[in-house]
Amino acid sequence: GDSVTQMEGPVTLSEEAFLTINCTYTATGYPSLFWYVQYPGEGLQLLLKATKADDKGSNKGFEATYRKETTSFHLEKGSVQVSDSAVYFCALSGRNSGNTPLVFGKGTRLSVIA
Amino acid sequence: GAVVSQHPSRVICKSGTSVKIECRSLDFQATTMFWYRQFPKQSLMLMATSNEGSKATYEQGVEKDKFLINHASLTLSTLTVTSAHPEDSSFYICSANQASGGSQFFGPGTRLTVL
């Protein structure tokens, strides 16, 4: 079945450092790919998404490019802030997440220190 | 963006009791809602798909008689954990599919602790 693998955490960075969280997937067909963020004590929020190969999703300085050839959707940010500390989940959906559930990676906890 | 609420946010109950968790889409109609379970430091695992006006579809290994799901309207789905046991302690999260836009929005989660 479909699956998502993302790098193990926790990841600890200093403020303004470059962030990469790796995510690879296994899926049949052409899934949509997502990054969700979960701040402490809160629910999941959609950070960005891409629905087809070579699409780049971006939001709040974060970006990820849908790479079909490497089945990857790595999350990057050029300069992290303390407020970016959260758990980040990579996820996929078999379609454009209309009526299909999401398959999640295990999550990567990011801590940014001042 | 669209808002999904869950109630309660936190519940502690005794073993053997039943607990009802509500998931509401506040500003849109949701034809489909999903219930996930998240264990500490682990990912979200899909439990069931809840469709308005029809029976829920449960994932393999999820007991439908233990986790009762009712999707009574386009804005409300409920998950009832019956005869709860300590191993049911977990973080339960719902998501709602916005019928027109196709995106999923997540509730803030309900932390259940069974003593």
Side-chain angles (χ1 to χ4, degrees), chain A residues 60-113:
Chain A
K60 299 181 181 178
F62 291 90
E63 59 181 35
T65 301
Y66 189 144
R67 301 287 188 198
K68 189 172 185 297
E69 63 275 15
T70 54
T71 62
S72 65
F73 193 54
H74 304 322
L75 181 68
E76 296 182 336
K77 185 173 185 180
S79 176
V80 294
Q81 304 300 313
V82 172
S83 57
D84 294 327
S85 298
V87 181
Y88 292 82
F89 292 93
C90 185
L92 71 80
S93 173
R95 294 200 300 271
N96 192 16
S97 80
N99 290 316
T100 55
L102 298 176
V103 175
F104 287 89
K106 291 188 174 182
T108 303
R109 182 175 299 278
L110 170 67
S111 296
V112 181
I113 54 177

Side-chain angles (χ1 to χ4, degrees), chain B residues 30-33 50-55 70-76:
Chain B
T31 55
T32 303
M33 290 183 174
S50 171
N51 295 298
E52 188 269 337
S54 63
K55 290 183 178 181
N70 182 23
H71 196 146
S73 74
L74 286 171
T75 59
L76 173 65

